[in-house]
Each structure stands twice: as C-alpha cells, then as structure tokens.
Amino acid sequence: MRRLLELTLLCTACCLLPPALAQEAGEGRDDGRIRVVPAENVKIEYAQVLRVEPVYQTLRASRTEERCDEPAPAAKEQPAGEPKEPGVFTRMFDSVKGMFTDEEEAPPAAPAPVPPRNCRLVQVDRQFQRPIAYDVDYVYKGTKYRSRLAEDPGNRLRIRVSVTPWEADAPLPATP
C-alpha cells in the first residue's frame, strides 16, 4: 500500500513539473528572482446611477393581408326625403301601430344588395423594437463611468471594486 502511494506521488510530481518549468523559462527572467503575484483585494460597493438609456433591436416582419376597396359612395347614400335614422317618436309610433290595426304585417323588405367589393392580397411590412441592453451612466467616488448592462439597475448600481498593488515591470492587464 505504501509503495502504491509513493508511486502515485512520483507520477503526480512528474506531470506537474514540466509545465511549471516551461512557464518560468518563457517569462524571460533569468535573474534568479522568484515572482510573487500580489493578492487582489475585492469589495462590493454601490454607485449612484445618473442616466439609463435603452438600446433597442429593430425587428422587421412582413405578412399578407386582404385589402378591399370601399363601394361607390352613391350606393351608400339614402334618398334625400327620408331621415337617415328614425327618431324616438317614430320608433315609438311604429311599435304601437301594429296593436291597433287588424292588417297583417307586410313581409320585411329584402336587404339591400351588397355591391361587389374589389379585394386583393397586399404584403404589409411592420417594424418592432425591443430593448436588448441598457447604457448606464453612473458616478462612483466623484468619477463618472458608463457600462452596458443587460437589465435596468434602478437608482443604485452594485459594483465590484478591486485593488491590486502596481508592479512597474508587470504587463498591463488586457481590457475588454
């Protein structure tokens, strides 16, 4: 059992040793100094939001609709002698008139013929806009910043503040 443990440790050390040597040789430091990476100090703070502007995505869609021309205006108009709509007294008189006469009611008049309509299919283009992000202007300790966020943060923005000591010969971190 002990021999198996020693063999496992030896294999692990052999696997980890070459990458570590390659990293140290690739850095170009042959002065024998050991590089110490400073720890990053992180805290969560709140910044005051100044302005939020939504960023919209415009979507275009088209669909086919049926469009019909209106019938001729002469067919819609009623004769000039008749009122367009019966008044209150006329409707009341007509409803009571049938009770006092023995005449049989005349069959209702046939509805007016509907003039043919000219219909055709038309392609209609539409645009829709939806917010996909928000450009947020905020201030933290007197300095203004702008970030693009997925959601509207409201009045305060929770931010991550990182403090790391500066090393003169260390390369600058890449900014996105």
Side-chain angles (χ1 to χ4, degrees), residues 3-4 7 11 25 42-43 49 73 76 85 90 103 119 124 154:
R3 188 168 191 117
L4 181 64
L7 184 61
C11 288
V42 178
K43 64 180 178 174
V49 173
K76 282 187 167 182
E85 225 178 275
T90 306
E103 297 177 14
C119 296
V124 178

PDB file of all heavy atoms in Angstrom, residues 3-4 7 11 25 42-43 49 73 76 85 90 103 119 124 154:
ATOM      1  N   ARG A   3       3.881   1.518  -1.067  1.00  0.00           N
ATOM      2  CA  ARG A   3       4.574   1.612  -2.344  1.00  0.00           C
ATOM      3  C   ARG A   3       3.662   2.232  -3.417  1.00  0.00           C
ATOM      4  O   ARG A   3       4.107   3.031  -4.246  1.00  0.00           O
ATOM      5  CB  ARG A   3       5.031   0.224  -2.753  1.00  0.00           C
ATOM      6  CG  ARG A   3       5.910   0.256  -3.940  1.00  0.00           C
ATOM      7  CD  ARG A   3       6.573  -1.096  -4.112  1.00  0.00           C
ATOM      8  NE  ARG A   3       7.590  -0.934  -5.086  1.00  0.00           N
ATOM      9  CZ  ARG A   3       8.872  -1.088  -4.895  1.00  0.00           C
ATOM     10  NH1 ARG A   3       9.308  -1.461  -3.733  1.00  0.00           N
ATOM     11  NH2 ARG A   3       9.728  -0.901  -5.848  1.00  0.00           N
ATOM     12  N   LEU A   4       2.387   1.896  -3.384  1.00  0.00           N
ATOM     13  CA  LEU A   4       1.420   2.462  -4.317  1.00  0.00           C
ATOM     14  C   LEU A   4       1.262   3.968  -4.095  1.00  0.00           C
ATOM     15  O   LEU A   4       1.197   4.738  -5.051  1.00  0.00           O
ATOM     16  CB  LEU A   4       0.067   1.756  -4.150  1.00  0.00           C
ATOM     17  CG  LEU A   4      -1.049   2.222  -5.077  1.00  0.00           C
ATOM     18  CD1 LEU A   4      -0.700   1.932  -6.531  1.00  0.00           C
ATOM     19  CD2 LEU A   4      -2.335   1.546  -4.690  1.00  0.00           C
ATOM     20  N   LEU A   7       4.361   5.720  -5.516  1.00  0.00           N
ATOM     21  CA  LEU A   7       4.320   5.726  -6.969  1.00  0.00           C
ATOM     22  C   LEU A   7       3.337   6.783  -7.481  1.00  0.00           C
ATOM     23  O   LEU A   7       3.614   7.493  -8.457  1.00  0.00           O
ATOM     24  CB  LEU A   7       3.920   4.330  -7.476  1.00  0.00           C
ATOM     25  CG  LEU A   7       3.913   4.142  -8.994  1.00  0.00           C
ATOM     26  CD1 LEU A   7       5.307   4.385  -9.568  1.00  0.00           C
ATOM     27  CD2 LEU A   7       3.432   2.761  -9.346  1.00  0.00           C
ATOM     28  N   CYS A  11       4.354  10.057  -9.828  1.00  0.00           N
ATOM     29  CA  CYS A  11       3.715  10.340 -11.130  1.00  0.00           C
ATOM     30  C   CYS A  11       3.089  11.732 -11.147  1.00  0.00           C
ATOM     31  O   CYS A  11       3.170  12.447 -12.137  1.00  0.00           O
ATOM     32  CB  CYS A  11       2.650   9.284 -11.425  1.00  0.00           C
ATOM     33  SG  CYS A  11       3.359   7.681 -11.849  1.00  0.00           S
ATOM     34  N   ALA A  25      10.608  29.558 -17.667  1.00  0.00           N
ATOM     35  CA  ALA A  25      11.580  29.823 -18.727  1.00  0.00           C
ATOM     36  C   ALA A  25      10.989  30.776 -19.766  1.00  0.00           C
ATOM     37  O   ALA A  25      11.684  31.588 -20.333  1.00  0.00           O
ATOM     38  CB  ALA A  25      11.994  28.514 -19.390  1.00  0.00           C
ATOM     39  N   VAL A  42     -10.810  42.701  -3.029  1.00  0.00           N
ATOM     40  CA  VAL A  42     -12.092  42.957  -3.680  1.00  0.00           C
ATOM     41  C   VAL A  42     -13.129  43.313  -2.636  1.00  0.00           C
ATOM     42  O   VAL A  42     -13.184  42.713  -1.558  1.00  0.00           O
ATOM     43  CB  VAL A  42     -12.559  41.708  -4.462  1.00  0.00           C
ATOM     44  CG1 VAL A  42     -13.917  41.933  -5.095  1.00  0.00           C
ATOM     45  CG2 VAL A  42     -11.549  41.344  -5.519  1.00  0.00           C
ATOM     46  N   LYS A  43     -13.965  44.306  -2.973  1.00  0.00           N
ATOM     47  CA  LYS A  43     -15.098  44.630  -2.113  1.00  0.00           C
ATOM     48  C   LYS A  43     -16.258  45.059  -3.006  1.00  0.00           C
ATOM     49  O   LYS A  43     -16.081  45.447  -4.156  1.00  0.00           O
ATOM     50  CB  LYS A  43     -14.751  45.711  -1.092  1.00  0.00           C
ATOM     51  CG  LYS A  43     -14.405  47.055  -1.674  1.00  0.00           C
ATOM     52  CD  LYS A  43     -14.072  48.036  -0.576  1.00  0.00           C
ATOM     53  CE  LYS A  43     -13.670  49.380  -1.176  1.00  0.00           C
ATOM     54  NZ  LYS A  43     -13.473  50.383  -0.149  1.00  0.00           N
ATOM     55  N   VAL A  49     -26.607  55.982  -9.935  1.00  0.00           N
ATOM     56  CA  VAL A  49     -26.936  55.958 -11.361  1.00  0.00           C
ATOM     57  C   VAL A  49     -27.390  57.350 -11.787  1.00  0.00           C
ATOM     58  O   VAL A  49     -28.251  57.957 -11.149  1.00  0.00           O
ATOM     59  CB  VAL A  49     -28.031  54.913 -11.660  1.00  0.00           C
ATOM     60  CG1 VAL A  49     -28.483  55.001 -13.106  1.00  0.00           C
ATOM     61  CG2 VAL A  49     -27.527  53.520 -11.338  1.00  0.00           C
ATOM     62  N   PRO A  73     -69.721  55.597 -53.286  1.00  0.00           N
ATOM     63  CA  PRO A  73     -70.482  56.353 -52.296  1.00  0.00           C
ATOM     64  C   PRO A  73     -71.953  56.522 -52.664  1.00  0.00           C
ATOM     65  O   PRO A  73     -72.793  56.649 -51.799  1.00  0.00           O
ATOM     66  CB  PRO A  73     -69.784  57.705 -52.228  1.00  0.00           C
ATOM     67  CG  PRO A  73     -68.773  57.721 -53.299  1.00  0.00           C
ATOM     68  CD  PRO A  73     -68.638  56.355 -53.851  1.00  0.00           C
ATOM     69  N   LYS A  76     -74.254  53.939 -51.047  1.00  0.00           N
ATOM     70  CA  LYS A  76     -74.401  54.017 -49.601  1.00  0.00           C
ATOM     71  C   LYS A  76     -75.431  55.051 -49.175  1.00  0.00           C
ATOM     72  O   LYS A  76     -76.023  54.951 -48.130  1.00  0.00           O
ATOM     73  CB  LYS A  76     -73.065  54.370 -48.945  1.00  0.00           C
ATOM     74  CG  LYS A  76     -72.120  53.228 -48.837  1.00  0.00           C
ATOM     75  CD  LYS A  76     -70.929  53.671 -48.023  1.00  0.00           C
ATOM     76  CE  LYS A  76     -70.101  52.494 -47.617  1.00  0.00           C
ATOM     77  NZ  LYS A  76     -68.982  52.890 -46.808  1.00  0.00           N
ATOM     78  N   GLU A  85     -81.993  58.164 -39.795  1.00  0.00           N
ATOM     79  CA  GLU A  85     -82.315  57.245 -38.711  1.00  0.00           C
ATOM     80  C   GLU A  85     -83.615  57.713 -38.089  1.00  0.00           C
ATOM     81  O   GLU A  85     -83.814  58.900 -37.884  1.00  0.00           O
ATOM     82  CB  GLU A  85     -81.191  57.275 -37.662  1.00  0.00           C
ATOM     83  CG  GLU A  85     -80.796  55.898 -37.222  1.00  0.00           C
ATOM     84  CD  GLU A  85     -79.670  55.954 -36.235  1.00  0.00           C
ATOM     85  OE1 GLU A  85     -78.514  56.012 -36.683  1.00  0.00           O
ATOM     86  OE2 GLU A  85     -79.951  55.954 -35.029  1.00  0.00           O
ATOM     87  N   THR A  90     -90.929  58.347 -33.789  1.00  0.00           N
ATOM     88  CA  THR A  90     -91.219  57.463 -34.917  1.00  0.00           C
ATOM     89  C   THR A  90     -91.093  56.007 -34.495  1.00  0.00           C
ATOM     90  O   THR A  90     -91.941  55.183 -34.829  1.00  0.00           O
ATOM     91  CB  THR A  90     -90.267  57.761 -36.085  1.00  0.00           C
ATOM     92  OG1 THR A  90     -90.329  59.149 -36.394  1.00  0.00           O
ATOM     93  CG2 THR A  90     -90.611  56.942 -37.307  1.00  0.00           C
ATOM     94  N   GLU A 103    -104.591  44.710 -39.807  1.00  0.00           N
ATOM     95  CA  GLU A 103    -103.869  44.329 -41.011  1.00  0.00           C
ATOM     96  C   GLU A 103    -102.749  43.383 -40.648  1.00  0.00           C
ATOM     97  O   GLU A 103    -102.144  43.464 -39.588  1.00  0.00           O
ATOM     98  CB  GLU A 103    -103.261  45.572 -41.680  1.00  0.00           C
ATOM     99  CG  GLU A 103    -104.277  46.565 -42.147  1.00  0.00           C
ATOM    100  CD  GLU A 103    -103.573  47.778 -42.713  1.00  0.00           C
ATOM    101  OE1 GLU A 103    -102.350  47.721 -42.968  1.00  0.00           O
ATOM    102  OE2 GLU A 103    -104.240  48.785 -42.901  1.00  0.00           O
ATOM    103  N   CYS A 119     -61.325  43.143 -53.758  1.00  0.00           N
ATOM    104  CA  CYS A 119     -60.361  42.748 -52.723  1.00  0.00           C
ATOM    105  C   CYS A 119     -59.112  42.179 -53.373  1.00  0.00           C
ATOM    106  O   CYS A 119     -59.174  41.534 -54.420  1.00  0.00           O
ATOM    107  CB  CYS A 119     -60.977  41.706 -51.793  1.00  0.00           C
ATOM    108  SG  CYS A 119     -62.374  42.329 -50.863  1.00  0.00           S
ATOM    109  N   VAL A 124     -47.756  43.563 -46.141  1.00  0.00           N
ATOM    110  CA  VAL A 124     -47.611  44.680 -45.210  1.00  0.00           C
ATOM    111  C   VAL A 124     -46.338  44.463 -44.392  1.00  0.00           C
ATOM    112  O   VAL A 124     -46.159  43.413 -43.773  1.00  0.00           O
ATOM    113  CB  VAL A 124     -48.840  44.772 -44.276  1.00  0.00           C
ATOM    114  CG1 VAL A 124     -48.661  45.890 -43.280  1.00  0.00           C
ATOM    115  CG2 VAL A 124     -50.098  44.963 -45.081  1.00  0.00           C
ATOM    116  N   GLY A 154     -31.823  50.572 -11.879  1.00  0.00           N
ATOM    117  CA  GLY A 154     -32.568  51.401 -10.927  1.00  0.00           C
ATOM    118  C   GLY A 154     -31.740  52.607 -10.515  1.00  0.00           C
ATOM    119  O   GLY A 154     -30.930  53.122 -11.285  1.00  0.00           O
TER     120      GLY A 154
END
